Amino acid sequence: MSKISALNLIRKPDVMTLGIELPLDNDWSPEAQARRAGSGRPHGVPDLSSQTELVRRADRLGFSAVWMRDVPVFDQVNMGDAGSVYDVFTLLGFLAGVTEHIALGTAAVVLPIRHPLMTAKAAASVDVLSGGRLLLGVASGDRPVEYPLLGLDFDSRGERFREAVLYIRQAWQPGGLPVNGKRVPALDVLPRPVQSTIPLIVAGQARQDDGWLAANMDGRFVYPGSLEKLAAQTAAWSATTAGEGAFISAFHLDLLDDANSPPEPIRFGARLGRKALISHFRRLAESAVDHIAVNLRQSTRPPAEVVEELAADVMPLLSKKTTTLAA
């Protein structure tokens, strides 16, 4: 049985790791919004023209993960955000072929709107194609419009989520597929994952209690929050999982040219200079946050510049041990 685990790419004993959240553009900055309007591209549809090269660059520079969302339908009225545009498993397979080291994470696949057999097969395929780099973030979904389009009940999504998790875990193991509650040895899903089991990471609460999540998930991905809130969440998650569960959050970043610029809050993150960012990230690391997915959509600087600066001047300094920031 393989001992490869993509969790080891993002969860390190001594440092907090950084990843990148897709779509990898700065389309929410004022300058990019003006360009979008001039080009006729609809509001909410990202600029993907440089994304592949930026993901390759993040891979070469040592970022630990790239994260993508599962948004089947562009709801222009209620959400106004097309997410990563491409089907999440198609995008995962493509990125598996153009990267070598970086973990491929979903944040998150909406389990109740997909048959668990097809999810299990798609995820196993990505895991093999990537050499065991898949982190399967999963959720119950928060977009009610998707459910009636598929003829599904929105209110029962919590129960469907639990059923899907059980089915998928069984489908990845030898012994046959579940049929009417019993495993049929003659039926199998190929390919078998490279990892002994692909890590499941819950995004949000998925309409489950903390005990169930701790027993069935390998990690959790929470919305960005204050230092105090995240410290409380990491402590609770660690206590519930006996320190075994990975803890992940995100941060929307507008990294300014002036390294000494003080922080200014923006939605889900901050506009600030490098020194303030390092200080903030170090405090997250010391609070036992394992991994931060950086979102650059509000960046006023080109994403390529920010990715380079994060790799060179921020990532090497994110110790989980209490340290003093050099002047």
Side-chain angles (χ1 to χ4, degrees):
M1 186 72 72
S2 170
K3 293 185 179 180
I4 293 174
S5 176
L7 278 178
N8 294 333
L9 297 175
I10 66 164
R11 194 180 194 207
K12 308 289 186 181
D14 298 323
V15 297
M16 184 179 77
T17 62
L18 293 187
I20 291 290
E21 185 177 336
L22 301 186
L24 191 37
D25 66 359
N26 62 341
D27 209 44
W28 292 345
S29 68
E31 296 83 355
Q33 286 282 24
R35 290 196 302 271
R36 178 199 57 75
S39 70
R41 182 161 39 89
H43 177 74
V45 177
D47 176 7
L48 303 177
S49 58
S50 301
Q51 178 165 281
T52 299
E53 177 49 37
L54 287 169
V55 171
R56 285 195 182 107
R57 183 175 302 196
D59 184 40
R60 292 194 301 268
L61 291 171
F63 282 81
S64 296
V66 56
W67 298 90
M68 60 215 75
R69 294 158 59 202
D70 182 16
V71 182
V73 178
F74 179 27
D75 184 354
Q76 301 180 52
V77 175
N78 297 306
M79 291 297 187
D81 178 9
S84 301
V85 177
Y86 301 113
D87 172 77
V88 65
F89 285 112
T90 302
L91 181 56
L92 284 164
F94 172 76
L95 293 179
V98 300
T99 59
E100 296 180 8
H101 311 291
I102 200 166
L104 306 175
T106 59
V109 171
V110 182
L111 290 185
I113 65 173
R114 298 172 181 267
H115 193 285
L117 172 60
M118 306 310 294
T119 301
K121 185 175 183 69
S125 299
V126 171
D127 198 54
V128 172
L129 292 170
S130 67
R133 291 186 282 134
L134 178 62
L135 296 167
L136 190 62
V138 292
S140 61
D142 60 0
R143 299 190 175 207
V145 69
E146 295 167 353
Y147 284 77
L149 283 173
L150 297 167
L152 300 172
D153 176 52
F154 183 69
D155 292 333
S156 64
R157 66 194 186 281
E159 179 181 357
R160 290 171 58 87
F161 178 88
R162 292 191 299 274
E163 293 170 350
V165 167
L166 176 62
Y167 188 105
I168 290 167
R169 288 237 189 247
Q170 290 182 341
W172 287 334
Q173 301 299 325
L177 289 175
V179 178
N180 297 324
K182 296 182 179 180
R183 305 195 75 176
V184 179
L187 300 178
D188 203 356
V189 172
L190 298 178
R192 185 80 62 212
V194 171
Q195 302 179 75
S196 58
T197 183
I198 297 170
L200 293 181
I201 297 172
V202 65
Q205 198 69 31
R207 301 180 69 81
Q208 311 303 321
D209 61 51
D210 289 343
W212 189 92
L213 293 177
N216 292 276
M217 296 287 117
D218 302 293
R220 72 179 311 167
F221 196 130
V222 304
Y223 278 108
S226 67
L227 286 165
E228 295 75 18
K229 181 178 181 180
L230 286 172
Q233 289 176 314
T234 59
W237 181 243
S238 179
T240 310
T241 64
E244 294 298 319
F247 189 92
I248 304 156
S249 190
F251 190 84
H252 289 224
L253 174 64
D254 184 7
L255 185 63
L256 302 177
D257 281 311
D258 183 356
N260 296 301
S261 294
E264 173 191 343
I266 60 176
R267 187 171 185 263
F268 291 144
R271 178 174 295 112
L272 73 179
R274 183 175 68 248
K275 289 185 179 180
L277 178 67
I278 293 170
S279 178
H280 179 73
F281 276 4
R282 278 183 166 176
R283 292 181 66 186
L284 290 176
E286 292 161 10
S287 298
V289 174
D290 292 305
H291 180 82
I292 290 289
V294 177
N295 184 305
L296 298 178
R297 305 212 70 196
Q298 299 184 66
S299 175
T300 50
R301 293 170 60 192
E305 287 184 13
V306 179
V307 165
E308 294 278 352
E309 185 171 346
L310 289 172
D313 300 321
V314 178
M315 289 197 301
L317 301 176
L318 302 183
S319 173
K320 289 184 177 179
K321 299 176 182 178
T322 302
T323 54
T324 302
L325 180 62

